[in-house]
Amino acid sequence: MIQNLLILGLCLIAFSAGSSAHTDDNDRMHPKVSFPQSSGKQYEDASYWKKNARDTLAKKLKEPIIETEAKNTVFFLGDGMSLPTVTAARIYKGQLEKLEYGEEASLFFESFPNTAISKTFCSDSQTADSACSATAYLTGVKANIYTIGVKPTVNLGNCEAQMNVTNQVESVLAWAQAAGKSTGIITTTRITHASPSGTYAHIAHRDWENDDMVRKSGQNPDTCDDIAEQLILRRPGINVNVILGGGRREFTPTSVIDPEEKIGGKRTDNKNLIEIWKVLKSGKKAQYVSTRAEFEKIDPKETDFVLGLFNYDHLSYHLDSTEDPSLPELTKKAIEILSRNPKGYFLFVEGGRIDHAHHDNMAQKALMETVMMDKAVETAANMTSENDTLILVTADHAHVFSISGYPKRGNPIMGTAGTSDKDNLPYTTLSYANGPGYKRPTSTGERYDISNDDTSHKDYKQPTGLPVYSETHGGDDVAIFSRGPYSHYLSGVVHQNYIPHLIGYASCTGSGLRSCSSK
Ligand SMILES: *[C@@H]1O[C@H](CO)[C@@H](O)[C@H](O)[C@H]1NC(C)=O
Ligand SMILES: *[C@@H]1O[C@H](CO)[C@@H](O)[C@H](O)[C@H]1NC(C)=O
Ligand SMILES: *[C@@H]1O[C@H](CO)[C@@H](O)[C@H](O)[C@H]1NC(C)=O
Ligand SMILES: [Zn+2]
C-alpha cells in the first residue's frame, strides 16, 4: 500500500515536471552548466575547507565571554549597509587586494565574535529612513519616519510637539555624558544629516538642518530650533568633545562666503554657528579646523574639543577625492582625544555615503565607502582592548541591491554574471530593483544591451528593474557585528531599538538595566 502511494506520488511529480516549458530539464529552476567547467583553475581542495572549518571552531571555543564594564563604546553605522552590500564589499576588497579570487576575503568586522539580526521598520513605516532608524538605535524607541530624537507621538513636521521636552528622547551619547564620559561624532555626510543628528537632536523633520529649512516648512525658526543650532547651542551637542564631518553651509549665514565653495552659507538668521562655537569654547583647549592640513596639526594631548567641518556639503566619495581626511584618519584622531578621559568615552562613527551611492545606483562607490568604514573599524579595534571597549557595527536600513546570477569564482564583482537564457543578452552581477540606473528597452522592445557599457567605471549606474529618480531603501533586516563587554547579548533577532539598551547595560549608562547597578 505504502509502495503504491509512493509510485503514485512519483508519477504526479513526473507529470507536473513534464508540464513545464523545459521538458528536458531535471531542474527547470537552475540554469544548465556545460561540462567540464574548464576554467583550468585549481580551487581550494577538500582538506582546505575542513581545516578552515576546524580552525573556525577552535577559535570560537576559545572566545571569552566578557562581562566587565564597557568603559568605552564605539558605534559604527554603515548607512544603508545591507547584507548584500557587506558581501559585495568583501569580494570587492579581496579583488582590490589581488587575492586569488576575492570571495575568500573578509572585512575586518566580520572577525567579530557576535552577530545579531536587526529589524529596522519604524513606528509608522514598513521600511526605515535614516531618521526614525537613528532614533531607534541611538535612543531606544522606534519613532515616525523622518523624525529624530522624539517619541512616536510626535508627527512629522510638528514643531510644537518637538520642542516639548516630554516628547523628547535622550540618546546613548547623552547617557554617556551624564556618566562623565567624553563623547564624539564622526560622519562622511553633513554633521547635521539624519544619522549623526540622532546622537544630539530632537527634530520633527530631518530636513530642518538650518533655520531657512524650518521657515520653508511654514514653521517659526524663532521657536523651532533647527538641527545645526541644537548641535552648537543645546545639550548634549554643546558638550560633545569631537565633532568631525561635513556641512559647513548649515552653520553659516548666506552673507558668509565659504572659503572652499566660494558661495554663502544656508542660514537666514544671520547666526554664524562656527564663530559661536569658538566663543563658547574660548578658554578651553578647543580648535575649529576645516582642512586636512589643520586637522593633521591637531595635538590630541592638547585638545579637549574639536569642531572639524571639512566640506561645504558632504565629504567627497573616497573614489572621487582623497583631499578630506578619511574615515580611518578621523577615527584615529578622535580616539586619541577621547581616550584621555579616565571615565571613558562614547564615539559614533558613520560611513554615511554608502547610502548616497546606492541611491544613485553607483554600486562601486557604495562598496568602496564600506571598505573605508571597515578600515575605520580596524583602526578603532587596534587602538582599544576588547576587555573594556564595546565596538559594534550595524546599518540603519537595507537597500534594494542584489548580487545575482552564477558568475564563476573570482569573476570581477563589478562585471557581468553571464547572459540571460531568455534574451541572450549579458547582465551585471550587481543590480537594483529600482533607481536612476534604469535602462530603457530598445524601440523594438528588447532589453538594453550592456555589452559596451564600462560596468567597472566608478560612476557606472548598475541596471535596475524600475525607473525612479532615487533608488529606495530596502525593508529587509540588517546585521549587527560586535565585540567586547556583553556583546554576546547582541545576538538573535532583535528590534533595532534594543541596541542602546544593551549599550546602557554594558557601559552602566542611561536609566535602564545596568550591568553594574549593584555598584
Ligand atoms: C507637553 O506635553 C505634555 C504631554 O502631552 C503636556 O501635558 C504639556 O502641557 C505640554 N507642555 C507644553 C509646554 O506644551
Ligand atoms: C591593525 O593592527 C595590525 C596588527 O598590528 C596591522 O597589521 C594593521 O595594519 C593595523 N590596521 C590598521 C587599520 O591600523
Ligand atoms: C583581557 O582580559 C583577559 C583576562 O583578564 C586577559 O587574559 C587578556 O589578555 C585581556 N585582553 C586584552 C586584549 O587586554
Ligand atoms: Zn538613504
Side-chain angles (χ1 to χ4, degrees), residues 10-28:
L10 286 173
C11 288
L12 284 173
I13 291 167
F15 177 77
S16 53
S19 68
S20 88
H22 297 243
T23 46
D24 54 339
D25 285 356
N26 280 333
D27 181 354
R28 66 188 178 86

Side-chain angles (χ1 to χ4, degrees), residues 68-247:
T68 46
E69 187 179 326
K71 180 182 163 194
N72 315 309
T73 301
V74 190
F75 191 135
F76 285 94
L77 194 278
D79 196 317
M81 190 179 69
S82 60
L83 270 174
T85 308
V86 172
T87 308
R90 170 203 308 151
I91 299 172
Y92 181 68
K93 177 188 173 209
Q95 294 182 342
L96 276 183
E97 289 174 355
K98 304 255 186 293
L99 298 191
E100 185 140 25
Y101 303 104
E103 298 84 356
E104 65 276 38
S106 292
L107 294 174
F108 178 80
F109 61 72
E110 292 181 90
S111 67
F112 285 180
N114 299 303
T115 51
I117 287 175
S118 170
K119 295 185 277 189
T120 64
F121 71 89
C122 288
S123 188
D124 64 347
S125 183
Q126 198 165 61
T127 297
D129 86 306
S130 295
C132 56
S133 173
T135 309
Y137 65 73
L138 287 166
T139 77
V141 302
K142 293 206 180 208
N144 293 327
I145 194 160
Y146 281 37
T147 67
I148 302 166
V150 290
K151 293 176 183 170
T153 43
V154 175
N155 291 325
L156 179 63
N158 187 340
C159 186
E160 204 183 319
Q162 153 199 318
M163 298 304 289
N164 185 333
V165 289
T166 64
N167 292 327
Q168 300 178 352
V169 276
E170 292 215 306
S171 76
V172 272
L173 177 139
W175 306 350
Q177 284 184 0
K181 295 178 190 292
S182 291
T183 52
I185 316 164
I186 303 176
T187 180
T188 49
T189 67
R190 298 191 295 269
I191 198 79
T192 48
H193 213 239
S195 315
S197 56
T199 62
Y200 62 85
H202 307 286
I203 202 97
H205 200 304
R206 59 178 285 173
D207 287 353
W208 297 348
E209 293 179 65
N210 59 61
D211 68 302
D212 193 39
M213 292 303 289
V214 175
R215 181 175 295 106
K216 282 177 177 155
S217 299
Q219 306 285 328
N220 179 0
D222 295 334
T223 53
C224 188
D225 294 343
D226 60 82
I227 298 176
E229 257 181 329
Q230 292 190 29
L231 175 60
I232 301 302
L233 305 174
R234 306 270 177 268
R235 283 184 302 165
I238 194 170
N239 295 321
V240 175
N241 302 86
V242 175
I243 303 170
L244 301 169

Side-chain angles (χ1 to χ4, degrees), residues 64 66 68 384-388 483:
I66 302 169
T68 46
T384 55
S385 159
E386 62 178 356
N387 286 342
D388 67 3
R483 83 159 202 192

Side-chain angles (χ1 to χ4, degrees), residues 343-357:
K343 289 187 174 162
Y345 57 87
F346 173 85
L347 173 62
F348 179 78
V349 185
E350 186 197 26
R353 306 212 66 198
I354 300 167
D355 179 68
H356 296 168

Side-chain angles (χ1 to χ4, degrees), residues 375 378-379 382:
K375 272 217 175 75
E378 185 175 345
T379 302
N382 275 5

Side-chain angles (χ1 to χ4, degrees), residues 192-511:
T192 48
H193 213 239
S195 315
S197 56
T199 62
Y200 62 85
H202 307 286
I203 202 97
H205 200 304
R206 59 178 285 173
D207 287 353
W208 297 348
E209 293 179 65
N210 59 61
D211 68 302
D212 193 39
M213 292 303 289
V214 175
R215 181 175 295 106
K216 282 177 177 155
S217 299
Q219 306 285 328
N220 179 0
D222 295 334
T223 53
C224 188
D225 294 343
D226 60 82
I227 298 176
E229 257 181 329
Q230 292 190 29
L231 175 60
I232 301 302
L233 305 174
R234 306 270 177 268
R235 283 184 302 165
I238 194 170
N239 295 321
V240 175
N241 302 86
V242 175
I243 303 170
L244 301 169
R248 284 192 300 264
R249 68 184 203 186
E250 315 297 336
F251 296 83
T252 54
T254 49
S255 58
V256 171
I257 302 303
D258 190 81
E260 198 177 18
E261 204 68 18
K262 310 292 180 213
I263 50 174
K266 295 276 185 191
R267 304 197 67 84
T268 53
D269 59 3
N270 223 20
K271 280 185 192 158
N272 186 330
L273 292 169
I274 295 171
E275 294 306 320
I276 293 174
W277 184 87
K278 288 181 192 168
V279 171
L280 288 171
K281 296 291 177 285
S282 60
K284 298 187 172 146
K285 292 179 177 173
Q287 273 188 78
Y288 169 72
V289 296
S290 66
T291 64
R292 169 182 280 281
E294 289 169 356
F295 172 76
E296 284 172 357
K297 270 195 236 133
I298 295 172
D299 178 358
K301 288 194 276 326
E302 293 301 321
T303 307
D304 291 330
F305 294 92
V306 58
L307 172 63
L309 298 175
F310 302 101
N311 218 308
Y312 181 75
D313 194 356
H314 305 302
L315 304 195
S316 300
Y317 286 117
H318 191 73
L319 280 174
D320 285 342
S321 164
T322 51
E323 197 183 311
D324 299 323
S326 68
L327 208 52
E329 291 169 290
L330 295 170
T331 303
K332 179 167 183 284
K333 188 79 86 180
I335 292 179
E336 285 168 352
I337 294 170
L338 300 174
S339 59
R340 288 169 41 241
N341 184 338
K343 289 187 174 162
Y345 57 87
F346 173 85
L347 173 62
F348 179 78
V349 185
E350 186 197 26
R353 306 212 66 198
I354 300 167
D355 179 68
H356 296 168
H358 275 327
H359 281 303
D360 274 343
N361 292 146
M362 291 186 188
Q364 186 168 187
K365 286 183 176 170
L367 303 188
M368 185 53 112
E369 294 299 302
T370 305
V371 167
M372 290 309 290
M373 190 182 80
D374 184 55
K375 272 217 175 75
V377 178
E378 185 175 345
T379 302
N382 275 5
M383 296 174 76
T384 55
S385 159
E386 62 178 356
N387 286 342
D388 67 3
T389 304
L390 172 63
I391 301 184
L392 61 106
V393 181
T394 189
D396 47 357
H397 54 73
H399 270 275
V400 294
F401 172 63
S402 87
I403 307 173
S404 47
Y406 303 93
K408 293 187 75 69
R409 269 297 292 284
N411 193 59
I413 189 66
M414 300 313 304
T416 52
T419 53
S420 158
D421 59 0
K422 197 150 183 178
D423 64 15
N424 288 318
L425 291 170
Y427 63 98
T428 51
T429 304
L430 303 180
S431 66
Y432 293 85
N434 62 43
Y438 180 77
K439 325 248 183 263
R440 281 183 192 291
T442 65
S443 53
T444 50
E446 274 112 51
R447 184 163 64 89
Y448 171 87
D449 184 357
I450 60 162
S451 299
N452 296 318
D453 287 5
D454 182 0
T455 62
S456 63
H457 191 280
K458 70 181 171 68
D459 295 328
Y460 186 67
K461 290 181 193 291
Q462 268 63 31
T464 79
L466 168 82
V468 289
Y469 285 116
S470 179
E471 178 259 13
T472 67
H473 295 171
D476 32 316
D477 300 344
V478 296
I480 308 167
F481 305 83
S482 63
R483 83 159 202 192
Y486 298 99
S487 60
H488 46 285
Y489 292 120
L490 275 170
S491 66
V493 182
V494 297
H495 284 295
Q496 192 167 42
N497 64 300
Y498 165 70
I499 297 172
H501 295 266
L502 183 278
I503 296 174
Y505 183 76
S507 62
C508 302
T509 62
S511 57

